[in-house]
Amino acid sequence: MAGDDNAHAVRTRAVALRCPQCGEELSGLNGDLLFGCRKCGMAYEVTETGRLRACPMSAAVLDAGTSQTIVWFPFWSFTASFSIEWPPVPGKRDSLAVLPRIDRVYVTAFNFRMRQYFGDPGLNLTRNQPDIASRTGPGLAGAAVKQKSARIIAENQILSTIDARRDITGADYEIALSDASILCLPFLYENHKLIDLVLDIAYTANAVVDLERILEKSGGRK
Amino acid sequence: MKNSSARRVSCPECGASVPLEHGSLVVRCRYCSLKSAIVGYSSSQRYYIPSVMDEKTVKSVCIKKMLNAGLLTPRTADRAVVDQADLFFVPYSWITAMKTGRLRKIRDDTETTVTKVFSEDYEAFRPACDIPYWGLKNVRLDEALNSMEKDGLMPYDRLEMSRLGHVLSMQKELEVPRGSGHVVIASATKKLIFYPIWLFRYRIDNSIYRGTLDGVTHKLLYGRAPQDSENKYLRAAALIGLVGLMLGQGLRLLFLAPAIGVVLLLMAVIIGVLVALTGLSLIRFNSELVYEDGISIYEEGGSDQKYLEDRIFKSLAGVFSDDEAARLKDSDGGKADGNGG
């Protein structure tokens, strides 16, 4: 939705942010591209034509209660399958490198910066393939990545994870992504750091642009 | 500004007219309270960063900052009197995105083509208005965000910002770049950040000079100062004395020991030429020091202060509402008329 202030390629209009199933008001921040219904466990992407495109939404189960500040960040989650083949090289034996297991791909769905320094939370999840038990989630806030963009990122995450084991140069591959959903994951917020409670990886709080507003809306303060 | 605030949409529930504010992509109808997302209206989300300094602090630190930057000498700093400091919220376009894709590149050692997958941040932060002599390009958002203990971006609040300082308008906006080939720019967001910049004015003797300070990191962005004339006289006297001595000795020795005399004469000529070519600024009168991009340089022959004032006010007219431009010019009280270089 960002762009020139004077651009008017599509007719400007308002789309009601109300759950098509239960009529509840959808949660989300100004500038978000996805809004969620906590009651029905659905997220809705506002398309450029003004439709609400639905996908399931859930949140990770938090092991134990905590008195500290928890903030819930949205991730796109896809079921992934891929096949990859390298052309045979005459005189060379086929590489015995074991390909990584990638059942699910996670794409950071909130505005995250400084990947070069701290890594990408979504990519870290994809590379580690954690088992995440889910439940109906807290309110959705900060989801600013469209499903279309998330699919491109997800494909590159799979390729980069394979490439870390074996050079993908010249390989033929096919990637299939299905079951797109939004998964909210808990991060502990302390000392200006965000600690991913699934993988126990710390990121600087400055990497998240809308942190204060996501904190308020995602019902994170405990 | 007027056109955009007049832009409205109909509430999908009750049909009431809902005004669109800059940067608002989610609105609430004031009649039926329905929350709606706006499509087909591309507007950058707006934020502002409050200044961490007040006017008093700026007035007390700006001379020290110019001294540290080599713009003032202890002697000129003692004569400098800061008489005004104004806070401006300057709009900056900020684009954040993820650049991801596959790159084919040639491996140096074997000259074979390899494919590499990469994902990295794409980020651009540029002033959204043109104001000369403020050093706006020297603002670093990362430095500012890292220097703050908590999230320093505040939602745009025109009233609060106007209470704190002058709010400038956006003149130009950055465009999100397009990817090419197997490289895509995904999840791009565009924001407009109103960044705090202090414009201070100080006097040395009868001349007025200006500079700008970063309102978050305290960094000197731009400054202008007179050259210290005491050193100038000393340098000029030393150089003239040295060249004169060499010329005199050279002429005297030309008759006693012609070889040494010729060498001395040649050296005097070479030093004279070098001074003329490169060292002229060391002894030039009425020259000024200008600080920008982290270095201080001499500006030839000093500046036409009236011309600088006109250029700044002309550019401000484009980014100011009329009443604010008048307010700023009034606060200057025409003192700039008596400026010298």
Side-chain angles (χ1 to χ4, degrees):
Chain A
M1 279 197 262
D4 185 358
D5 267 4
N6 301 315
H8 269 283
V10 183
R11 189 172 68 86
T12 303
R13 65 190 174 107
V15 181
L17 289 176
R18 188 186 283 147
C19 177
Q21 290 180 32
C22 68
E24 278 282 302
E25 183 176 291
L26 301 176
S27 67
L29 302 173
N30 180 27
D32 281 1
L33 297 174
L34 284 107
F35 299 86
C37 176
R38 190 192 292 228
K39 214 167 147 187
C40 303
M42 296 296 281
Y44 295 92
E45 182 177 331
V46 182
T47 67
E48 284 179 9
T49 52
R51 281 194 315 118
L52 291 178
R53 187 189 289 149
C55 71
M57 178 179 79
S58 58
V61 175
L62 201 56
D63 283 343
T66 172
S67 57
Q68 289 164 298
T69 305
I70 301 291
V71 54
W72 295 85
F73 287 112
F75 290 82
W76 278 104
S77 168
F78 299 95
T79 303
S81 62
F82 66 90
S83 63
I84 184 161
E85 271 183 27
W86 282 264
V89 181
K92 254 192 167 182
R93 287 172 67 184
D94 207 13
S95 169
L96 295 174
V98 180
L99 291 182
R101 179 183 67 89
I102 307 172
D103 299 323
R104 293 207 72 79
V105 189
Y106 301 91
V107 174
T108 310
F110 53 99
N111 276 332
F112 187 85
R113 309 160 54 232
M114 305 180 179
R115 286 178 177 83
Q116 285 95 322
Y117 311 113
F118 302 99
D120 181 83
L123 181 61
N124 287 337
L125 288 162
T126 301
R127 288 199 167 155
N128 285 284
Q129 293 291 300
D131 290 322
I132 302 173
S134 60
R135 57 174 175 93
T136 51
L140 182 62
V145 177
K146 290 178 184 175
Q147 191 182 141
K148 196 178 157 191
S149 299
R151 281 179 180 274
I152 297 169
I153 297 168
E155 283 186 10
N156 281 322
Q157 277 193 5
I158 292 173
L159 288 176
S160 118
T161 309
I162 298 169
D163 194 50
R165 297 269 180 95
R166 187 177 169 186
D167 189 354
I168 59 159
T169 301
D172 286 324
Y173 54 83
E174 261 182 43
I175 295 169
L177 299 170
S178 57
D179 303 331
S181 67
I182 287 286
L183 178 64
C184 295
L185 296 179
F187 283 65
L188 185 67
Y189 180 38
E190 60 173 15
N191 300 329
H192 210 55
K193 275 185 191 160
L194 288 163
I195 300 160
D196 173 355
L197 290 179
V198 175
L199 297 177
D200 200 24
I201 296 176
Y203 303 91
T204 175
N206 279 341
V208 182
V209 177
D210 287 307
L211 181 60
E212 286 296 319
R213 282 161 290 286
I214 294 174
L215 256 172
E216 282 167 22
K217 287 273 179 171
S218 70
R221 291 195 191 277
K222 289 194 176 181
Chain B
M1 197 72 173
K2 279 173 190 168
N3 290 341
S4 56
S5 54
R7 214 170 276 167
R8 287 169 176 274
V9 288
S10 297
C11 171
E13 179 84 358
C14 67
S17 177
V18 182
L20 292 182
E21 298 295 334
H22 268 307
S24 286
L25 299 169
V26 171
V27 294
R28 194 177 283 283
C29 174
R30 60 178 169 160
Y31 297 103
C32 68
S33 300
L34 180 79
K35 187 167 128 182
S36 305
I38 306 300
V39 290
Y41 173 64
S42 52
S43 171
S44 301
Q45 274 181 276
R46 295 184 169 211
Y47 296 87
Y48 81 99
I49 301 179
S51 171
V52 296
M53 298 183 284
D54 57 12
E55 189 182 341
K56 201 175 155 192
T57 316
V58 173
K59 283 181 174 176
S60 66
V61 301
C62 61
I63 297 295
K64 200 176 157 196
K65 292 280 168 189
M66 287 191 291
L67 198 60
N68 291 343
L71 202 56
L72 295 179
T73 61
R75 214 176 72 89
T76 47
D78 280 347
R79 294 185 352 245
V81 180
V82 185
D83 51 18
Q84 195 177 337
D86 289 294
L87 175 62
F88 289 81
F89 288 99
V90 180
Y92 280 80
S93 279
W94 186 29
I95 293 177
T96 55
M98 188 195 215
K99 196 172 169 186
T100 181
R102 298 185 293 284
L103 276 185
R104 282 176 188 279
K105 57 182 179 185
I106 294 172
R107 193 180 275 160
D108 290 339
D109 50 351
T110 57
E111 291 196 352
T112 49
T113 308
V114 292
T115 304
K116 280 288 155 204
V117 188
F118 74 97
S119 290
E120 59 186 30
D121 287 343
Y122 171 84
E123 209 160 327
F125 184 69
R126 306 264 188 284
C129 59
D130 288 315
I131 306 173
Y133 315 118
W134 277 31
L136 296 184
K137 285 179 183 161
N138 300 330
V139 171
R140 301 280 173 270
L141 182 67
D142 266 339
E143 275 178 27
L145 293 178
N146 289 336
S147 74
M148 290 182 277
E149 278 191 4
K150 52 180 273 189
D151 186 8
L153 296 180
M154 308 289 288
Y156 180 76
D157 182 344
R158 178 74 195 215
L159 276 179
E160 176 63 8
M161 289 158 70
S162 300
R163 193 182 66 75
L164 297 168
H166 308 278
V167 185
L168 306 188
S169 309
M170 181 185 67
Q171 286 177 318
K172 56 183 183 181
E173 208 176 5
L174 278 181
E175 288 306 318
V176 178
R178 289 170 189 274
S180 58
H182 291 291
V183 178
V184 291
I185 304 281
S187 63
T189 56
K190 203 153 77 165
K191 293 179 166 46
L192 200 65
I193 311 291
F194 287 81
Y195 196 89
I197 286 173
W198 285 92
L199 175 70
F200 60 87
R201 192 180 67 173
Y202 69 101
R203 268 182 294 118
I204 292 183
D205 304 330
N206 291 322
S207 300
I208 293 175
Y209 301 91
R210 280 192 164 80
T212 48
L213 271 187
D214 186 314
V216 180
T217 63
H218 303 204
K219 197 170 73 176
L220 183 69
L221 298 174
Y222 182 87
R224 196 171 263 279
Q227 191 191 5
D228 190 341
S229 57
E230 187 178 63
N231 286 345
K232 202 161 55 183
Y233 295 134
L234 278 174
R235 284 189 210 117
L239 279 170
I240 291 165
L242 180 69
V243 172
L245 187 72
M246 288 172 89
L247 274 173
Q249 287 296 319
L251 283 171
R252 194 173 69 86
L253 287 171
L254 204 56
F255 300 102
L256 298 173
I260 301 171
V262 168
V263 170
L264 271 178
L265 277 176
L266 271 175
M267 281 174 72
V269 170
I270 289 168
I271 291 173
V273 170
L274 283 176
V275 166
L277 288 177
T278 59
L280 200 62
S281 58
L282 293 174
I283 56 169
R284 184 188 292 118
F285 289 82
N286 295 326
S287 67
E288 278 182 4
L289 273 168
V290 177
Y291 179 87
E292 199 169 12
D293 297 328
I295 50 164
S296 297
I297 51 163
Y298 286 97
E299 186 152 282
E300 288 187 17
S303 61
D304 180 346
Q305 289 286 323
K306 191 82 181 81
Y307 167 75
L308 290 185
E309 295 283 324
D310 284 350
R311 276 209 64 187
I312 290 173
F313 281 116
K314 240 178 222 172
S315 58
L316 279 178
V319 288
F320 255 163
S321 58
D322 294 344
D323 53 332
E324 285 204 75
R327 203 174 104 201
L328 184 75
K329 209 155 187 179
D330 285 350
S331 71
D332 261 22
K335 288 174 199 166
D337 290 347
N339 290 345

